[in-house]
Amino acid sequence: MSWLTAEEALRALKTKPQTLYANVSRGRIRAKADPADPRRSLYQATDVQRLAERHAGRRKTETVAAEAIKWGDPVLSSAISTIINGRLFYRGRDATDFAEAATLEQAAALLWNGAAAVFSAAGTGYAAPSLQAAFLALAGRVTSDLPSLGRSPTALRREAQGVLSTVADALAPGPSDRPLHLRLAESWQRPDAADCLRRALVLLADHELNASTFAARVTASAGAALSAAVLSGLATLTGPLHGAAWQGVGTLIETALALGAEQAVRRTLAQGHRLSAFGHPLYPDGDIRAIALLSHFPLPLEFAGLRDAGEAMVGEKVNLDFALAAMAAAFDLPKEAPIIMFSLARSAGWLAHAMEQIDSGELIRPRARYAGPAPETDTSR
């Protein structure tokens, strides 16, 4: 991610400083403090370029649409969550404040606009949290659940409870009357991790229109069952650029243990690889979710060393992927704990977005801008 000084941004925009600051305050241009001089600010280059092109009148409709899918303007409206000035909000409530005492069940009720998440006793008997079990259980539901079209919001909310119960039975097996964070802590035999698990689940529940949420909404927009929408989200989440980014953090930690933190960062950058532990496009001053989590458990020494070296060399603060990997190490959780937590929590968000998309009655169907060989023409006519 590249950043511009105020002078560079003003030259690109051909505007006054007041207009630049107004665009920052309205969230159109991301800004952060200059590491070399905290009194100055730096401005996100792609945001500046996008506004400069808009002001110059060079953007055609198809260009706007294409850029909207690549970290551009919102591609659809949602009342569920948003990120404004480095803060995450669930239906207008500050998510980090909400996570101080809330459970995932309460987060689901908030995201579902008041529909409580009540779990049934499925009696699956899973011995331990299993992502594979979640995939199999959801796939089994997809073949028997009703399509979402033509069904009332009440019926869909009731089904959403059942789908989330299905996911919870696979990812946090335990008695249905126990909060999910306690079920997860007991499954991993780590009772001391329970409160941090609770916070993490709440903070992971939703994050605006990310890749997996968009996938879930596309599926729901076609009228598929809610279980199909969650299955789509879960499949997308496993990508290394999304929910599986914590694996890159683990690899970086292993290199740091062998070579030292600074050398690990230097080698990764020299090889042209991205550092999944640092930075987030929506949080130029630091991932607020990571900040909220990292303040509630002692950071292992190897993670502290990597954080200090990486932040100094990259100029970006550690993100949620780093925090989840550090939390797993601090409490000696299973290796796959970050993706288990992510999948369980985000299922609540996927269901909220699926129900909102169904309520809109709109099919998500963008057009492709063809860039292949020229179509054949019949010259005999």
Side-chain angles (χ1 to χ4, degrees):
M1 184 184 299
S2 59
W3 299 85
L4 304 176
T5 64
E7 293 77 12
E8 291 170 333
L10 289 171
R11 280 199 299 271
L13 291 168
K14 297 181 175 62
T15 189
K16 298 178 181 179
Q18 297 94 317
T19 305
L20 173 62
Y21 306 146
N23 281 317
V24 171
S25 67
R26 293 168 184 161
R28 295 172 180 166
I29 297 177
R30 286 163 282 178
K32 70 173 185 176
D34 187 341
D37 185 355
R39 296 170 299 178
R40 296 165 56 89
S41 294
L42 297 177
Y43 304 89
Q44 223 288 309
T46 56
D47 293 345
V48 171
Q49 183 62 30
R50 184 171 64 250
L51 276 183
E53 291 179 357
R54 178 182 298 168
H55 294 160
R58 292 196 296 265
R59 300 212 315 165
K60 296 182 179 179
T61 301
E62 64 267 22
T63 304
V64 175
E67 290 185 2
I69 298 177
K70 299 183 292 186
W71 287 101
D73 300 324
V75 298
L76 51 81
S77 297
S78 175
I80 297 172
S81 69
T82 189
I83 299 99
I84 300 175
N85 296 329
R87 297 168 64 195
L88 173 63
F89 296 90
Y90 293 162
R91 292 196 182 274
R93 294 194 61 175
D94 188 298
T96 55
D97 291 343
F98 186 61
E100 284 297 309
T103 63
L104 178 58
E105 291 86 339
Q106 291 170 326
L110 175 61
L111 295 172
W112 297 359
N113 208 15
V118 179
F119 295 97
S120 59
T124 56
Y126 293 127
S130 167
L131 193 63
Q132 181 181 20
F135 272 109
L136 291 173
L138 285 169
R141 287 195 63 128
V142 169
T143 60
S144 58
D145 286 353
L146 289 172
S148 57
L149 289 182
R151 303 174 66 197
S152 72
T154 300
L156 288 175
R157 288 192 181 107
R158 186 165 55 246
E159 183 155 311
Q161 293 172 353
V163 173
L164 189 54
S165 290
T166 296
V167 175
D169 286 337
L171 299 181
S176 60
D177 61 346
R178 297 281 281 167
L180 290 174
H181 64 280
L182 293 182
R183 286 168 55 171
L184 200 50
E186 290 163 4
S187 295
W188 285 330
Q189 299 180 12
R190 294 293 182 271
D192 56 330
D195 189 62
C196 273
L197 287 171
R198 179 191 61 76
R199 292 175 187 275
L201 292 176
V202 174
L203 291 168
L204 286 164
D206 200 57
H207 201 236
E208 201 214 55
L209 200 62
N210 54 81
S212 58
T213 297
F214 188 61
R217 291 192 75 126
V218 170
T219 302
S221 80
L226 290 179
S227 53
V230 175
L231 185 58
S232 294
L234 187 60
T236 306
L237 187 71
T238 60
L241 297 182
H242 194 9
W246 60 273
Q247 293 178 315
V249 181
T251 301
L252 195 56
I253 285 292
E254 292 175 2
T255 307
L257 288 172
L259 305 176
E262 184 175 333
Q263 187 58 34
V265 173
R266 188 179 299 278
R267 171 180 285 193
T268 303
L269 292 174
Q271 292 173 341
H273 298 153
R274 66 186 297 270
L275 289 167
S276 57
F278 300 91
H280 192 291
L282 296 177
Y283 300 103
D285 295 321
D287 191 331
I288 191 65
R289 301 165 300 170
I291 295 169
L293 270 182
L294 291 171
S295 62
H296 290 282
F297 62 87
L299 195 60
L301 289 177
E302 64 271 24
F303 282 85
L306 179 62
R307 177 197 60 190
D308 296 343
E311 289 184 350
M313 297 172 69
V314 178
E316 300 277 4
K317 295 182 179 179
V318 293
N319 56 27
L320 180 66
D321 301 310
F322 175 93
L324 291 176
M327 177 179 161
F331 291 103
D332 193 25
L333 301 179
K335 182 180 179 181
E336 69 278 7
I339 192 67
I340 295 289
M341 290 185 282
F342 216 143
S343 302
L344 175 61
R346 193 56 60 85
S347 292
W350 294 328
L351 286 164
H353 281 272
M355 288 186 284
E356 184 181 62
Q357 186 63 41
I358 293 162
D359 186 60
S360 76
E362 297 175 351
L363 173 67
I364 299 175
R365 205 300 191 184
R367 291 296 309 277
R369 183 167 57 191
Y370 183 66
E376 294 181 0
T377 58
D378 187 348
T379 57
S380 64
R381 293 183 182 179

